[in-house]
Amino acid sequence: MTHTKTILAIATVFTMMFSCSKNDDNTVDNVPSYVRFNFLTNSNNEPLEYPQVSSAIIPSVSYTNTSVNTLKVPVTLTSYTLENEVTVNYSVASSSNEDLFTISPVNQVSFQNNQLTDTIYINFNKRWSSEESIILNLESVSDTSINLGNLNSNETNTEFTINLEPITTTYTFLENRIEITGAAGEQIDFTVNFPNGYLPSEIETSNIFKFLNGFDYSIEPLDIGENTSTINYRITLNESVENDDVLYQTIITLIDSENYTTTGNSTLQIVKPIKSDRDVTVNIAANFYNLSDSFYRTYIEHWNDFNEDGECVWQSTFAFTYPIVVESTNPNAVLYSDNGTADPLDDIYHHAFQIGFDSPIATTTTNAFNLKRYFSNESTSRANSPGFNTTPAIEFFPENGTNTTNGSILIIPQFLTISNKSDESFSFAISGEGTYEEVSPGIFELKFQLNLTNDAIFGGTITSEYRLYNTSSYTDPEDLTTNNCITEYILE
């Protein structure tokens, strides 16, 4: 009932404001301007950061905080014109130790004509061991014609309470595989993401990685403490690993610790693949994506017995397919776009022989290799199961390096992370190979096997048969003579 009254009161005020003429002072036909806390959250109870706004959301009077990320509390002034800067004083009361957090700007926010929202930043310096609270109060405004708080008596939004409850800090790699050229001195940057933030003092004194090294390199953090949600690291090669006939690989794994647990991608491969002489003008990969259509897909036939009736069948599905963006120095790079400028720094290059599977929606996943049908009780969110998006996924090797219609393919070996609905993560190693052919003009067919390895779920490695097409206008593949096909596994 309180929220209903608040909505009606706010609606009445806005109706009056936009239906009346403006006076010379900070009022509209005697309806004064007002200043208030304007803390908004989305449907997942995640704070919206200014300038994100929504007129359909009522500003909150409190927030339960369970992360060590910097918390941003907007304060908004409703006004048409300001002749001078307006300042608002606020106070801070806390049940915690004084050194738990720092706050800025200190005790005062300010507003000008072109800036009617200011933000209070709360930075956490250490973990809290028990439930704590921080209370902010708007105390006074420098312009007495501006009302302190909403123009109603139910929720003025002059007080905002932050309830600190037990936190869980996690981390993840933003990607699971990086290719290098292998030249001595080459530098590669990667990012560790902390969804609930991190405390620099904890990271600086802890070893968060373990290594399986295939070449000599050094690693250093670039920006610990500059923000609370990511850390960038730089690898520098201390030796040349450019032998074209040798696969070089280093694996970096995040360690579960007392303070930080892994989620999503916990393994990062740094790979210098075996070199294959291929004519980049063949650009086979371009037949399998269309960036002008965000919902472009390739079509998959998968040999399985998911209903477990003892009969194997081809099951049709699809996955959203994308190019692999590479640096101009990549030996397999082809120019996709110069962005209409003469500046080479904004040019976009694609890998001529690799494609990947990804979702057009930032928080969701596609169905790479029909993997979602392998499992029950799986989580399909990008944060928990990034392995359902596989980038890169498939690499093409044209016959003789120049053939435009047929050749062989490689399922790019890598580790995929898929979680169950209890957020327990599982790492699956994938590999495989096959062939491709242009079976009719403009229609390519891939025939391949996918190997998927996980001792806990499969007891080792399982192998599955696939057909993949770059268009829906394909002829159904003939049934295989084998009943050796995939059934469903429970992730638990």
Side-chain angles (χ1 to χ4, degrees):
M1 181 64 71
T2 298
H3 285 306
T4 302
K5 291 180 179 178
T6 302
I7 294 172
L8 290 174
I10 294 173
T12 300
V13 169
F14 274 100
T15 299
M16 293 173 64
M17 290 178 68
F18 286 100
S19 62
C20 300
S21 60
K22 178 172 66 70
N23 292 329
D24 291 333
D25 59 9
N26 290 321
T27 67
V28 180
D29 282 358
N30 299 320
V31 178
S33 298
Y34 57 96
V35 62
R36 63 172 180 180
F37 288 113
N38 195 28
F39 192 91
L40 308 175
T41 58
N42 62 19
S43 58
N44 294 323
N45 200 37
E46 298 166 335
L48 299 182
E49 294 188 12
Y50 179 79
Q52 292 177 304
V53 295
S54 173
S55 59
I57 302 175
I58 299 174
S60 302
V61 296
S62 65
Y63 177 70
T64 298
N65 184 50
T66 58
S67 85
V68 293
N69 272 320
T70 297
L71 188 63
K72 303 174 184 180
V73 183
V75 183
T76 298
L77 171 65
T78 63
S79 177
Y80 282 87
T81 61
L82 290 178
E83 293 184 1
N84 301 301
E85 180 184 61
V86 171
T87 59
V88 175
N89 294 324
Y90 73 89
S91 62
V92 183
S94 174
S95 65
S96 67
N97 295 328
E98 292 183 357
D99 61 347
L100 175 64
F101 63 92
T102 55
I103 192 165
S104 64
V106 178
N107 297 126
Q108 189 178 86
V109 291
S110 61
F111 308 92
Q112 301 177 37
N113 251 345
N114 60 350
Q115 181 249 312
L116 297 180
T117 291
D118 202 357
T119 301
I120 298 172
Y121 296 86
I122 302 173
N123 297 288
F124 297 98
N125 303 320
K126 63 181 183 179
R127 293 174 183 266
W128 48 92
S129 57
S130 60
E131 294 185 358
E132 309 278 1
S133 64
I134 303 170
I135 301 174
L136 308 177
N137 267 291
L138 302 180
E139 300 287 356
S140 62
V141 58
S142 61
D143 186 335
T144 57
S145 70
I146 297 174
N147 195 68
L148 201 62
N150 287 327
L151 304 182
N152 66 77
S153 57
N154 294 315
E155 291 178 359
T156 61
N157 290 100
T158 56
E159 179 177 289
F160 185 72
T161 301
I162 300 134
N163 297 305
L164 303 180
E165 294 195 356
I167 60 175
T168 300
T169 41
T170 61
Y171 49 13
T172 181
F173 290 119
L174 290 186
E175 52 194 328
N176 68 333
R177 187 179 186 274
I178 299 175
E179 286 191 9
I180 61 175
T181 62
E186 180 178 359
Q187 294 184 325
I188 311 101
D189 294 348
F190 66 89
T191 300
V192 178
N193 186 44
F194 296 78
N196 290 329
Y198 71 93
L199 297 172
S201 59
E202 294 177 345
I203 301 301
E204 289 168 344
T205 58
S206 299
N207 181 12
I208 67 173
F209 302 122
K210 65 179 179 180
F211 305 93
L212 182 60
N213 294 329
F215 48 82
D216 183 26
Y217 63 92
S218 56
I219 183 172
E220 61 176 336
L222 299 180
D223 54 2
I224 289 181
E226 291 185 14
N227 63 69
T228 60
S229 59
T230 61
I231 301 175
N232 294 303
Y233 289 83
R234 174 164 293 167
I235 285 177
T236 303
L237 268 62
N238 297 327
E239 63 171 331
S240 173
V241 289
E242 296 178 284
N243 188 329
D244 292 341
D245 299 322
V246 176
L247 171 69
Y248 296 89
Q249 176 174 261
T250 278
I251 299 175
I252 303 174
T253 304
L254 289 169
I255 302 171
D256 283 328
S257 66
E258 179 182 358
N259 290 328
Y260 298 89
T261 57
T262 58
T263 182
N265 293 319
S266 59
T267 301
L268 173 65
Q269 293 173 282
I270 312 294
V271 180
K272 203 292 291 183
I274 295 173
K275 185 176 180 180
S276 174
D277 290 328
R278 291 170 286 185
D279 182 355
V280 295
T281 63
V282 174
N283 198 8
I284 288 294
N287 294 284
F288 293 86
Y289 60 83
N290 178 7
L291 291 183
S292 65
D293 176 6
S294 61
F295 295 101
Y296 179 84
R297 64 202 71 185
T298 51
Y299 297 85
I300 299 169
E301 296 285 344
H302 183 200
W303 190 244
N304 68 82
D305 180 22
F306 287 133
N307 63 1
E308 299 188 36
D309 63 358
E311 293 186 15
C312 299
V313 296
W314 289 113
Q315 181 188 45
S316 301
T317 186
F318 64 83
F320 296 108
T321 314
Y322 292 88
I324 303 302
V325 177
V326 295
E327 299 291 336
S328 61
T329 53
N330 189 297
N332 298 301
V334 289
L335 180 64
Y336 168 70
S337 172
D338 63 4
N339 275 315
T341 73
D343 184 359
L345 295 179
D346 65 2
D347 292 350
I348 300 173
Y349 287 84
H350 290 166
H351 198 297
F353 305 106
Q354 289 183 354
I355 58 173
F357 303 116
D358 205 344
S359 170
I361 301 173
T363 57
T364 62
T365 52
T366 192
N367 193 15
F369 300 118
N370 202 29
L371 291 178
K372 291 179 181 178
R373 288 294 288 116
Y374 276 70
F375 307 110
S376 62
N377 194 43
E378 77 280 9
S379 168
T380 60
S381 75
R382 185 184 295 259
N384 293 336
S385 296
F388 286 133
N389 297 326
T390 308
T391 55
I394 297 174
E395 185 160 1
F396 299 89
F397 297 86
E399 187 176 283
N400 299 320
T402 59
N403 197 300
T404 60
T405 62
N406 63 80
S408 60
I409 65 169
L410 177 73
I411 306 304
I412 297 172
Q414 59 193 284
F415 297 96
L416 306 181
T417 299
I418 297 172
S419 299
N420 61 23
K421 292 180 180 177
S422 301
D423 295 337
E424 181 181 4
S425 295
F426 301 87
S427 181
F428 299 88
I430 68 166
S431 63
E433 59 185 3
T435 61
Y436 72 91
E437 181 182 5
E438 188 175 22
V439 292
S440 61
I443 301 178
F444 284 84
E445 178 186 58
L446 278 60
K447 297 180 179 180
F448 62 92
Q449 290 184 331
L450 174 74
N451 305 312
L452 203 61
T453 301
N454 180 286
D455 289 338
I457 303 299
F458 305 135
T461 300
I462 58 174
T463 301
S464 193
E465 298 278 352
Y466 289 83
R467 304 290 184 265
L468 184 146
Y469 303 89
N470 64 328
T471 173
S472 60
S473 302
Y474 63 88
T475 302
D476 291 341
E478 294 183 0
D479 285 349
L480 302 179
T481 57
T482 176
N483 275 336
N484 179 24
C485 59
I486 298 302
T487 56
E488 190 174 75
Y489 294 82
I490 302 174
L491 284 184
E492 61 181 2

